[in-house]
């Protein structure tokens, strides 16, 4: 998995959220409307976890023992007025 794959998944998650006001239960829900396919690469693990009643998420990937995680930007989090 390359950084561009992670960015593509993040963009798909944000587009899904814009249309549904929640994040998907799993990444497979993004295919084919938001992603053509899920990226795959040997030796790389991608994990996705919806959080807080699907109003946030954690997207993690591990390459050669190094784990990195991403969360949505505040721009797409629900705001109360």
């Amino acid at each position: 998995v390359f950084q561009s794959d992670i960015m593509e998944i993040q963009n798909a998650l944000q587009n899904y959220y814009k249309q549904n006001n929640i994040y998907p239960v799993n990444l497979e829900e993004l295919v084919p409307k938001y992603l053509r396919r899920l990226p795959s690469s040997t030796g790389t693990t991608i994990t996705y976890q919806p959080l807080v009643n699907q109003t946030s998420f954690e997207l993690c990937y591990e390459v050669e023992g190094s784990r990195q995680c991403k969360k949505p930007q505040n721009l797409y989090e629900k705001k109360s007025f």
Side-chain angles (χ1 to χ4, degrees), residues 35-76:
L35 280 177
R36 283 182 276 136
R37 60 169 183 77
L38 290 175
S40 63
S41 179
T42 55
T44 303
T45 304
I46 298 174
T47 57
Y48 165 77
Q49 178 68 45
L51 306 170
V52 194
N53 297 321
Q54 291 177 261
T55 60
S56 187
F57 69 86
E58 182 175 71
L59 180 67
C60 299
Y61 60 98
E62 188 171 334
V63 180
E64 298 175 4
S66 176
R67 182 177 167 92
Q68 295 187 15
C69 296
K70 308 275 184 182
K71 291 187 178 181
Q73 297 174 352
N74 290 337
L75 176 64
Y76 296 105

Side-chain angles (χ1 to χ4, degrees), residues 10-23:
Q10 283 185 290
N11 289 336
L13 286 165
Q14 300 301 2
N15 289 331
Y16 184 100
Y17 185 86
K18 285 180 193 177
Q19 291 189 351
N20 299 285
N21 292 317
I22 60 171
Y23 288 102

